[in-house]
Each structure stands twice: as structure tokens, then as C-alpha cells.
Amino acid sequence: SPVKTSLNVLFNTGTAKGVIAVYNMQGNKVITKSIDGITQTTVDVSRLAPGTYTIEYRNDKEVVRERFVKVD
């Protein structure tokens, strides 16, 4: 579903130390957030222009990517 101001990220279990990054459709990293041992976090996307983005969670063992749409 479309996102206006913040994106809630939920993990099934506590995360390993890793990074959440948001990329625009040109592949440029526009947001980075370090995380460690959490089950939920919020990513502020309010300053992004409307459009389609990819959010990525990466740690030493895995990479997970999902797309989302930012709206005004």
C-alpha cells in the first residue's frame, strides 16, 4: 500500500546488526538507517518525492528487498 510519511518495518525475530537502506528507481541510496537487535523500526520517508522506491535490509547473512510507493 502507498506510504505518505513513514514506513513501518517489522521483523519476525530480533534482527542481527544490519542496515536498512532506501533506493530510488535510478538506484541511488536516499536513506540509510543502522539497526541492531530490534523487532520493529520506522523509516521517515516524508522528505522523499512521490514515486516508487526499494527498501533493503542487509546484514552479514541475508539481503531482503521490497518495493513501496511514496505518495503526497
Side-chain angles (χ1 to χ4, degrees):
S1 54
V3 178
K4 275 190 168 192
T5 58
S6 62
L7 185 62
N8 293 315
V9 181
L10 304 172
F11 300 94
N12 290 336
T13 59
T15 63
K17 185 175 182 179
V19 175
I20 291 177
V22 176
Y23 297 88
N24 62 21
M25 292 308 294
Q26 291 74 37
N28 299 314
K29 190 183 300 183
V30 293
I31 296 174
T32 303
K33 182 175 185 174
S34 296
I35 56 172
D36 189 5
I38 60 172
T39 57
Q40 178 177 343
T41 191
T42 301
V43 179
D44 180 5
V45 297
S46 61
R47 295 176 189 241
L48 297 179
T52 302
Y53 294 85
T54 300
I55 186 166
E56 173 186 277
Y57 165 69
R58 177 183 298 264
N59 66 23
D60 291 339
K61 297 180 182 177
E62 66 181 327
V63 177
V64 179
R65 292 182 187 98
E66 294 288 334
R67 284 199 174 163
F68 69 95
V69 176
K70 165 66 168 73
V71 295
D72 273 340

